[in-house]
Amino acid sequence: MKGSNLGEFQELALLTILVLGDEAYGVTIKREINKNVKRAISRGALHTALSRLEEKGYLKSKQGEASTERGGRPKRYYEVTNKGKSALHEAREVRDNLWNKIPSVRLELQYALS
């Protein structure tokens, strides 16, 4: 990679935001990650990751309208920037290159005979 240095969780967050499109805010991002990866994540871990991605310029966010269903608190919506999309492409390219270099015989599952 050329310095994008996306961690696994950051990559999941970016991909999930792209999946959700205009409905990408904290609760939906967390729910979608939990559903697809079958891994329980905390709100704090998610918000830390989102903040770091925004600091790196991979995300931008905007505050939505306040709603009564959230006690008057507005939702914060996230969008992946072009820099974030570029980092995702780089991460995928690196992974694909490594997967393609592995001889197929090494990927076969081996079972121990007892």
Side-chain angles (χ1 to χ4, degrees), residues 18-110:
L18 287 171
V19 167
L20 292 169
D22 292 340
E23 291 300 316
Y25 59 91
V27 171
T28 58
I29 296 167
K30 182 179 183 294
R31 186 181 312 140
E32 193 72 14
I33 290 174
N34 287 344
K35 183 176 86 179
N36 288 300
V37 184
K38 298 176 180 39
R39 186 166 90 190
I41 59 167
S42 70
R43 260 178 64 189
L46 177 61
H47 285 285
T48 298
L50 294 175
S51 294
R52 289 183 180 156
L53 287 166
E54 197 164 11
E55 286 171 12
K56 289 179 178 181
Y58 296 159
L59 281 181
K60 62 182 179 182
S61 68
K62 65 179 178 194
Q63 204 148 12
E65 298 288 321
S67 67
T68 54
E69 70 184 35
R70 295 174 40 88
R73 291 177 295 134
K75 296 174 184 172
R76 177 160 292 282
Y77 291 92
Y78 293 91
E79 180 181 345
V80 179
T81 63
N82 282 337
K83 186 177 179 182
K85 292 174 186 173
S86 178
L88 282 171
H89 282 289
E90 286 179 28
R92 182 178 183 171
E93 186 178 318
V94 168
R95 288 175 196 253
D96 287 347
N97 284 338
L98 286 170
W99 274 100
N100 290 332
K101 288 180 181 178
I102 299 172
S104 61
V105 71
R106 291 189 188 156
L107 285 174
E108 293 176 7
L109 296 175
Q110 296 178 356

